[in-house]
Amino acid sequence: MINNINLSFEEMWDKIMACDHKYDGLFYTAVKTTKIYCRPSCRSRKPKKINVTFYKDIQAVEAAGFRPCKRCQPEVEHSPHIEIVKSIVAFLVTHYKQQLLLKDIAENVGLSPYYLERLFKQETAETPRTYLEKIRVDKATYLLKSTKLTNIEICYEVGFQSPSNFYKVFRNLTNCTPSEYRKGFQHEVDRL
């Protein structure tokens, strides 16, 4: 099953509940009761958590006897550059804690930094840097919900180099501070 990216079952579950397209191609959601598999961004009705298994690639999920969803068509490649973009995204997801420069990412996938950035932006409408920031904020929100780490500890744990940048990026992407996010999440849990 999953072994090439650093996501827990709970994080992958969060991604499919949010229909997060950033993780398309990195893993697939297989539903045991329907024998269908989907992309993380699929908008179909969500299955029960106990009926879900995650796979890292199409070959593994199909070998396990699942068939592709007709709605999200996970077996169809949407771009000739999709494999390169998947490689870049997988590298970002796996190395998000590290201080990454564009040249590091480019060396990993065998492209020039200029071409990599242009291709990535063309395919995702984002730069590798903004994509990496979203991955880091995703990780931070998960840690804010599931740990008692301080905001500063989370800042460094998810790869930000300075608290001021962490707070700025977090606010831009979530419209609140990390403390407000944690407090808001805690109020939701208390109401349940």
Side-chain angles (χ1 to χ4, degrees):
M1 295 203 215
I2 300 294
N3 62 16
N4 67 334
I5 57 173
N6 191 17
L7 292 175
S8 69
F9 182 93
E10 291 300 321
E11 287 176 295
M12 287 184 281
W13 178 255
D14 287 348
K15 301 308 166 213
I16 68 164
M17 294 311 287
C19 299
D20 195 334
H21 71 89
K22 293 190 302 291
Y23 294 84
D24 283 359
L26 295 183
F27 68 87
Y28 298 90
T29 306
V31 183
K32 298 171 198 168
T33 53
T34 61
K35 298 303 273 180
I36 292 174
Y37 71 94
C38 298
R39 302 172 188 270
S41 65
C42 188
R43 296 279 177 189
S44 293
R45 192 167 63 100
K46 299 303 177 203
K48 290 183 179 176
K49 198 174 191 177
I50 59 169
N51 294 329
V52 170
T53 306
F54 295 107
Y55 289 86
K56 71 172 183 146
D57 59 44
I58 287 179
Q59 293 78 16
V61 73
E62 288 183 349
F66 293 92
R67 65 185 190 283
C69 170
K70 290 184 178 168
R71 185 168 186 181
C72 70
Q73 299 179 318
E75 79 285 12
V76 176
E77 298 293 345
H78 296 287
S79 160
H81 306 294
I82 198 73
E83 288 305 317
I84 295 170
V85 172
K86 280 184 194 176
S87 296
I88 296 166
V89 170
F91 183 79
L92 294 174
V93 169
T94 305
H95 297 89
Y96 72 92
K97 291 183 180 185
Q98 299 170 5
Q99 185 174 0
L100 293 175
L101 301 173
L102 190 59
K103 72 177 185 67
D104 301 325
I105 304 163
E107 284 173 10
N108 181 266
V109 294
L111 300 173
S112 75
Y114 172 77
Y115 182 68
L116 177 142
E117 186 161 46
R118 192 175 60 145
L119 175 70
F120 194 83
K121 190 163 188 171
Q122 171 189 320
E123 295 295 320
T124 66
E126 298 183 65
T127 66
R129 179 178 177 214
T130 57
Y131 206 90
L132 178 61
E133 287 175 346
K134 286 182 176 181
I135 292 167
R136 287 175 172 165
V137 169
D138 280 348
K139 295 288 187 181
T141 59
Y142 177 75
L143 292 173
L144 286 164
K145 291 188 289 191
S146 63
T147 71
K148 296 210 180 290
L149 293 174
T150 67
N151 293 347
I152 299 295
E153 290 169 329
I154 290 172
C155 163
Y156 293 117
E157 176 66 24
V158 300
F160 282 97
Q161 302 300 307
S162 77
S164 61
N165 189 40
F166 171 59
Y167 286 109
K168 177 182 160 209
V169 171
F170 195 94
R171 180 178 281 287
N172 284 344
L173 293 176
T174 64
N175 294 320
C176 65
T177 66
S179 297
E180 291 166 345
Y181 182 87
R182 180 176 268 163
K183 193 180 293 181
F185 178 76
Q186 195 55 47
H187 287 301
E188 290 295 317
V189 170
D190 292 344
R191 283 194 304 185
L192 298 176

